[in-house]
Amino acid sequence: MRSCFLVLFFTVGFFGSDAYKILCLFPHFGRSHFIMAEELLKGLATKGHQVTMVSHFPQTNPIPNYTDISLVGTMPEFISRHLLENVAVKYVYKTLNRQSKTGLITCKNILKSHVMNKLLSSNETYDLIITELFNTDCFLAYVHKFHAPFIALSTSTLIPWAHARFGNPDIPSYMGNFFLFHASDMTFFERIINVLYKEFLKWVYYYKYDKPANQIVKEYYGKSIPSLEEIAKKTSLLLVNSHFSLNQPRPLVPAIVEVGGLHLKPSESQLPKDLQDFLDSAEDGVIYFSLGSFVRVESMPADKRDAFVQAFSELPQKVLWKWEKETLPGKPKNVKIVSWLPQMDVLAHPNVRVFISHGGLMGTMEAVYHGVPMVAIPLFGDQFHNVKCSVQQGIAVYLDYHTITKESVLSALKEILQNPTFTENAKQVKKAFRDRPVSPLDTAIYWTEYVIRHGGAPHLRSAAVDLQWYQYLLLDVLAVLFLCVAAILATTYLILKKLISLWRTCSGRKQTKNKIS
């Protein structure tokens, strides 16, 4: 009894005992983005807080203390259909253009929706608001309306425009750009590109994301609303989906807290019998193939599909392939196709030896959590950066989607299957990734409650947020010091020049006097 009392005492002391009202605005239509916010709000609801989730993914079964405001039907149908060829882009400007357009469509459709106007006109009050830091800030208008402290979630690693609003260092000499195939180990040329893209993205974000979003917000909610940039700088805290063991060490101000893997938890259910039997019977191991929930893999062009089919047919391993259609042309006997798979449970199986992935951060973390090396095929967004980090750590082999052939697929798979170093590295990263004093979910809950307990926790805010870029880089100080040094040198030069001139004049007079005498 005494032990139970102590556990209860320290648990209440660590997490706090007050119940708060929390509103989470998560209007992005991507399921992979929603998973992280869902786990956090479920955790907060379990703690007794009253949470309200605004999203496209209402709960199927009611959860105590958890209320949904459903956005289902507010977005155009084409948004949810993602053909593989349409998203597999190499060029950053195409990714940025698509991302900004979807953000603006989300703004227009959801801000004018009945459910959001009902929320806006309500008399509800909240102790905290949670938003996503991604492709639009237009929902910060609700932060202004409810006058509540707010925090943000980043379901990816730090997106380029996150640094400024927290005054966080963004150092391109060793911090690879979110959108580039760069990690910490860059060549001289890559560092040049990294610097240029760092500055280019600031310009892009202002003109393609922030300025149009401001116009939309003022159109719907009036011109009296402050600029979104001004509101964004008041963000109390950012919970970022990263961890230094996987996403490489970076300097972080106190207002940015890493909670990478927040959505990960041991499975509470068993695999379906057919899947369990398939995995158990794989004497030579299993290759698991999935490109995530965002794209339809069955839309893969025939030549690339056949490259995988032919490569798999030459391998002794069994292949479990997430494929949305009921049939796969030319399917080899060692391949099993399934339209949906419980990925964490599959990766946990000891017979899974390789994960063929698109390099999405959620899937990458799930593979790392279970120590499974990857063949990574990045398609868009941050996936190139994620894959580069994994390649640099020796836990993945890169496969270029646009040049896929049977030979390239076989080469990548055999490199991992025949070289035990990849599995050894994956196990080392797994060990470091899991080794934490507090779980990612408990860490996120603690800091969420911390912000509420401290009235927005303004003491976490870095003074760098209020500095101009030239002040932050000390360019004004360097300019003044340069001018001071230049003035001293110039004065010294003029004095010396005058002294030399006087000396020469005096010497000339002395010589003239000597000649006369």
Side-chain angles (χ1 to χ4, degrees):
M1 286 292 293
R2 185 172 180 273
S3 298
C4 291
F5 174 78
L6 287 173
V7 170
L8 178 62
F9 175 81
F10 283 113
T11 300
V12 171
F14 183 73
F15 289 112
S17 56
D18 294 328
Y20 301 117
K21 287 184 66 177
I22 300 171
L23 173 66
C24 185
L25 301 170
F26 237 71
H28 186 63
F29 51 84
R31 175 76 191 181
S32 59
H33 285 243
F34 173 72
I35 291 171
M36 181 181 174
E38 180 185 33
E39 287 302 316
L40 175 58
L41 259 68
K42 283 182 177 179
L44 290 166
T46 301
K47 287 289 305 298
H49 303 301
Q50 299 297 315
V51 302
T52 300
M53 170 64 89
V54 179
S55 77
H56 296 276
F57 307 98
Q59 298 297 314
T60 305
N61 300 311
I63 298 174
N65 304 323
Y66 187 112
T67 301
D68 277 305
I69 295 180
S70 176
L71 297 176
V72 174
T74 58
M75 294 295 288
E77 185 182 352
F78 74 87
I79 286 293
S80 62
R81 298 201 307 265
H82 303 287
L83 301 179
L84 187 52
E85 284 295 280
N86 290 341
V87 299
V89 293
K90 283 184 175 181
Y91 304 108
V92 174
Y93 76 88
K94 286 187 177 180
T95 296
L96 292 169
N97 193 48
R98 176 181 295 145
Q99 195 179 80
S100 65
K101 282 183 177 179
T102 55
L104 296 177
I105 292 171
T106 302
C107 282
K108 290 178 181 178
N109 282 55
I110 295 178
L111 288 181
K112 71 180 180 182
S113 68
H114 170 71
V115 290
M116 294 306 283
N117 282 312
K118 183 178 178 181
L119 174 65
L120 190 68
S121 60
S122 70
N123 294 319
E124 291 285 351
T125 58
Y126 296 98
D127 298 298
L128 184 76
I129 296 175
I130 303 174
T131 63
E132 182 183 16
L133 203 170
F134 183 51
N135 63 351
T136 180
D137 282 327
C138 66
F139 298 95
L140 295 183
Y142 292 88
V143 170
H144 176 71
K145 190 273 179 190
F146 289 112
H147 300 288
F150 70 105
I151 67 174
L153 295 183
S154 176
T155 56
S156 64
T157 55
L158 276 175
I159 208 157
W161 38 88
H163 296 273
R165 65 187 64 180
F166 296 98
N168 195 64
D170 186 9
I171 308 168
S173 58
Y174 68 94
M175 294 167 64
N177 192 285
F178 180 93
F179 291 104
L180 299 176
F181 194 59
H182 291 172
S184 59
D185 186 10
M186 288 177 277
T187 65
F188 175 72
F189 179 73
E190 286 174 336
R191 282 186 284 126
I192 292 175
I193 298 299
N194 217 40
V195 170
L196 294 176
Y197 263 97
K198 175 179 175 290
E199 299 307 316
F200 168 70
L201 286 170
K202 292 178 182 178
W203 179 88
V204 169
Y205 181 74
Y206 176 75
Y207 286 101
K208 298 283 287 185
Y209 293 73
D210 196 50
K211 191 175 180 180
N214 268 299
Q215 292 171 349
I216 293 170
V217 167
K218 291 183 184 299
E219 177 185 344
Y220 285 103
Y221 296 138
K223 296 182 179 180
S224 62
I225 291 181
S227 71
L228 296 174
E229 181 184 17
E230 184 180 334
I231 300 173
K233 286 184 177 181
K234 297 178 181 178
T235 313
S236 296
L237 183 79
L238 175 64
L239 298 172
V240 59
N241 191 30
S242 64
H243 191 258
F244 52 82
S245 65
L246 173 63
N247 308 110
Q248 304 183 335
R250 292 172 175 239
L252 299 175
V253 295
I256 299 178
V257 178
E258 288 193 307
V259 291
L262 184 153
H263 71 294
L264 302 175
K265 56 186 177 182
S267 175
E268 298 176 356
S269 58
Q270 291 185 336
L271 285 166
K273 189 177 184 306
D274 63 325
L275 280 179
Q276 188 70 50
D277 292 343
F278 182 81
L279 294 170
D280 289 344
S281 61
E283 296 180 1
D284 294 299
V286 175
I287 297 167
Y288 171 47
F289 185 9
S290 172
L291 299 183
S293 60
F294 196 72
V295 298
R296 289 163 45 192
V297 185
E298 49 85 13
S299 66
M300 184 182 295
D303 61 326
K304 291 181 173 58
R305 178 200 67 207
D306 291 342
F308 283 105
V309 168
Q310 293 165 17
F312 293 154
S313 68
E314 296 186 12
L315 293 170
Q317 287 77 25
K318 288 189 174 183
V319 179
L320 184 59
W321 189 342
K322 180 182 173 293
W323 182 264
E324 291 82 7
K325 285 188 175 180
E326 293 183 0
T327 59
L328 172 64
K331 184 178 81 68
K333 292 181 180 180
N334 63 331
V335 173
K336 180 179 180 63
I337 57 171
V338 185
S339 61
W340 178 88
L341 288 159
Q343 186 158 286
M344 276 290 284
D345 297 335
V346 170
L347 290 169
H349 197 282
N351 285 344
V352 175
R353 296 183 59 188
V354 184
F355 177 26
I356 303 177
S357 165
H358 62 315
L361 188 55
M362 295 295 189
T364 299
M365 286 183 170
E366 289 163 8
V368 166
Y369 186 84
H370 293 295
V372 179
M374 296 166 283
V375 168
I377 313 167
L379 302 173
F380 57 90
D382 65 333
Q383 294 166 11
F384 294 91
H385 172 69
N386 298 339
V387 169
K388 183 66 172 181
C389 290
S390 296
V391 169
Q392 187 171 304
Q393 290 180 295
I395 61 173
V397 171
Y398 167 62
L399 182 60
D400 183 5
Y401 173 81
H402 298 279
T403 59
I404 283 176
T405 61
K406 181 187 83 170
E407 290 73 23
S408 66
V409 173
L410 277 173
S411 175
L413 286 170
K414 286 180 178 180
E415 188 173 352
I416 287 182
L417 291 168
Q418 296 174 4
N419 185 350
T421 303
F422 286 96
T423 300
E424 292 168 5
N425 291 339
K427 288 179 179 178
Q428 286 295 323
V429 176
K430 166 189 170 180
K431 188 176 179 181
F433 184 75
R434 288 193 180 195
D435 191 358
R436 311 190 199 188
V438 182
S439 74
L441 178 58
D442 286 344
T443 301
I445 290 173
Y446 171 80
W447 284 105
T448 299
E449 293 177 332
Y450 182 94
V451 168
I452 301 173
R453 287 197 303 269
H454 294 279
H459 50 277
L460 293 177
R461 192 173 189 267
S462 169
V465 175
D466 300 316
L467 296 178
Q468 296 294 328
W469 64 271
Y470 58 86
Q471 294 173 318
Y472 179 77
L473 295 173
L474 288 175
L475 295 183
D476 52 345
V477 174
L478 291 173
V480 170
L481 291 176
F482 174 79
L483 290 174
C484 289
V485 171
I488 290 170
L489 291 175
T491 303
T492 303
Y493 170 76
L494 291 173
I495 290 172
L496 289 174
K497 185 178 179 181
K498 186 66 175 177
L499 290 173
I500 291 170
S501 177
L502 289 171
W503 178 79
R504 285 177 176 173
T505 302
C506 292
S507 298
R509 288 176 180 175
K510 188 176 182 181
Q511 289 175 4
T512 303
K513 187 177 180 181
N514 289 336
K515 286 180 181 179
I516 294 172
S517 57

